Amino acid sequence: MAVSFDLFGTLVEVTPPDDPARAVATELAARDVPVPSDWERAYAERHVETESGAELSLVEHVVAGLDSRGVAASEAEVRATLLDAFATPVRMKRGARAAVGAAAERGPVGVLSNCSVPGLVPRVLSRSELRADAFDAVVSSVDCGWRKPDERAFERVAARLNVSPSELRHVGDDPDTDGGATAAGATSILLEDVPLTAVPSHLENAE
């Protein structure tokens, strides 16, 4: 048995910016990147087409948004901008450490998180009491290319954990995204049914 955990809302709580476009603009300006006068409109527009279920990197979106207004910025510059724009305090959820520890006692354990900002998931983990090296695999949608509930996201984390999807149990807080594990042949454990503090006993009973 292998266990994957959703990150945001499951293992940790974060408070994203109230106005992401403004937060990004502030960090762009701090790097002397010209901010278009209609940046909020440009940020809201679709610039890159993706297929259903695919994740679009926010780096690619911002670079294309700036380019649509005649502003050039490198991907490295924008990536650093986004990591700072979305840097918020990280609060560990009660029971997170025990749940991850219980999963690790039974087999490989990973993180599977929807996140469009490259590098943000490892950064959040590094700022929590759970370090990335506590997991056998850390998979974000921007890295694997697919957003939960797309089956390919769950298949990817299962492959990284060296198990078949049928051997994977996925713990998450969102029925619409984390519940998609069942379509991939995995088992979903939703926090509305099994609180995080009860996950250790749930895993023990599932053996």
Side-chain angles (χ1 to χ4, degrees):
M1 176 176 69
V3 180
S4 61
F5 290 87
D6 171 55
L7 180 60
F8 302 106
T10 297
L11 295 179
V12 303
E13 291 283 4
V14 300
T15 304
D18 292 333
D19 187 339
R22 182 176 299 176
V24 172
T26 298
E27 295 299 333
L28 287 171
R31 290 169 171 77
D32 296 322
V33 176
V35 178
S37 59
D38 65 340
W39 173 243
E40 291 202 4
R41 177 180 295 179
Y43 188 86
E45 292 173 355
R46 180 185 294 274
H47 301 285
V48 181
E49 295 297 326
T50 59
E51 65 176 287
S52 177
E55 179 66 276
L56 172 65
S57 168
L58 196 57
V59 171
E60 188 177 355
H61 172 73
V62 170
V63 168
L66 290 170
D67 184 67
S68 73
R69 273 31 179 202
V71 177
S74 70
E75 289 191 1
E77 198 169 32
V78 171
R79 175 176 173 144
T81 292
L82 293 175
L83 285 174
D84 286 346
F86 289 89
T88 62
V90 178
R91 300 177 299 280
M92 190 93 125
K93 294 290 291 289
R94 188 168 70 91
R97 182 187 293 277
V100 172
E105 291 174 359
R106 289 162 174 80
V109 58
V111 166
L112 176 62
S113 176
N114 280 351
C115 181
S116 63
V117 180
L120 186 59
V121 166
R123 174 174 284 196
V124 168
L125 284 171
S126 73
R127 293 180 174 181
S128 75
E129 297 174 27
L130 292 169
R131 307 287 296 216
D133 58 11
F135 299 93
D136 298 291
V138 176
V139 178
S140 66
S141 57
V142 73
D143 292 328
C144 77
W146 307 105
R147 287 184 66 83
K148 297 176 293 183
D150 192 281
E151 297 175 24
R152 288 164 286 194
F154 299 100
E155 291 168 354
R156 185 63 60 87
V157 74
R160 289 281 305 277
L161 294 173
N162 294 312
V163 298
S164 66
S166 64
E167 298 174 278
L168 177 70
R169 286 171 170 78
H170 178 73
V171 181
D173 67 309
D174 188 338
D176 292 332
T177 56
D178 299 304
T182 56
T187 299
S188 63
I189 302 173
L190 298 175
L191 297 190
E192 63 180 22
D193 302 320
V194 182
L196 193 60
T197 53
V199 166
S201 60
H202 181 86
L203 294 176
E204 182 177 359
N205 294 333
E207 289 182 322

